[in-house]
Amino acid sequence: KKTLYILIICVNYAFSQSLTVDTEASLTIEKTGTLLVDGAFSNSGTVTLNSDSNDFSSLIVAGTSSGDITYNRYVNTVGTGQWDLIGTPVDGLAVTDFVSDNDGVIATNDPYSAVGIYDNLADSWSNYGSGFDWESSNFEMGRGYQMATTAGATMAFTGSVLTSDQTFEVVNNHDNGGRRWNLVSNP
């Protein structure tokens, strides 16, 4: 005889010294929810954060973290002046996996997908499908990305929770024929 424990919580605001989500358990932080974990956060079950066009949930871990989470991050629709400039809310997520996992949601213009970076030396954008090196690596923490969906929807970001400060180099390429402008994010 096996005992199955399932934890299903919809968090609006909570504070915890430490938190463990066991296998077969799930934790959902709704779009207006915030969860602060002062100690260790461990997930071997399912942890999901939600958002919409106006509200974005938050998970802040001050201690250590293990296990992956999924952040269903709202991203605006493709169109003139409607793309979102965002950073990944999780660490360890390969760009190719993200594009594949969100197929049908990400706007496309064959062979390009609406996930891109800004190059301030060339003063240009490059979207996924252009063949640049960044497409075959993980999302870079602190880098800003442009993204758009087909009709304004959430896209799933799955990876680990950051627990340390992140840095991203800001470069002034004005004297090299480029721009001063850099696209950075707060992961």
Side-chain angles (χ1 to χ4, degrees):
K1 182 177 178 180
K2 290 186 175 183
T3 304
L4 177 64
Y5 296 99
I6 299 177
L7 168 69
I8 300 174
I9 300 173
C10 293
V11 176
N12 219 3
Y13 178 83
F15 174 80
S16 176
Q17 291 296 324
S18 63
L19 179 65
T20 299
V21 179
D22 289 329
T23 305
E24 302 297 326
S26 70
L27 168 67
T28 300
I29 303 173
E30 292 303 330
K31 63 185 182 180
T32 58
T34 298
L35 176 59
L36 304 171
V37 180
D38 194 40
F41 171 78
S42 174
N43 176 35
S44 55
T46 303
V47 175
T48 306
L49 287 81
N50 291 317
S51 69
D52 67 13
S53 62
N54 296 312
D55 298 303
F56 299 86
S57 60
S58 177
L59 171 62
I60 299 171
V61 179
T64 61
S65 178
S66 64
D68 287 346
I69 65 164
T70 298
Y71 196 115
N72 294 318
R73 185 6 171 129
Y74 179 85
V75 176
N76 209 351
T77 187
V78 68
T80 303
Q82 296 178 335
W83 289 52
D84 278 345
L85 303 176
I86 67 171
T88 179
V90 298
D91 193 19
L93 176 58
V95 175
T96 55
D97 291 344
F98 175 78
V99 170
S100 176
D101 292 346
N102 289 283
D103 185 40
V105 178
I106 296 175
T108 60
N109 185 4
D110 195 32
Y112 306 105
S113 295
V115 174
I117 64 169
Y118 177 70
D119 177 351
N120 76 343
L121 180 59
D123 189 22
S124 65
W125 295 91
S126 66
N127 280 347
Y128 184 86
S130 300
F132 288 98
D133 288 343
W134 67 267
E135 298 174 37
S136 61
S137 56
N138 287 350
F139 278 101
E140 195 173 350
M141 303 315 300
R143 175 185 283 279
Y145 293 83
Q146 68 170 352
M147 294 187 187
T149 58
T150 57
T154 60
M155 292 199 288
F157 290 81
T158 301
S160 60
V161 176
L162 288 169
T163 58
S164 63
D165 291 342
Q166 302 297 304
T167 59
F168 184 79
E169 183 179 10
V170 174
V171 179
N172 178 356
N173 275 313
H174 178 72
D175 294 337
N176 299 321
R179 302 286 300 245
R180 291 182 177 100
W181 194 83
N182 286 258
L183 181 56
V184 298
S185 70
N186 181 2

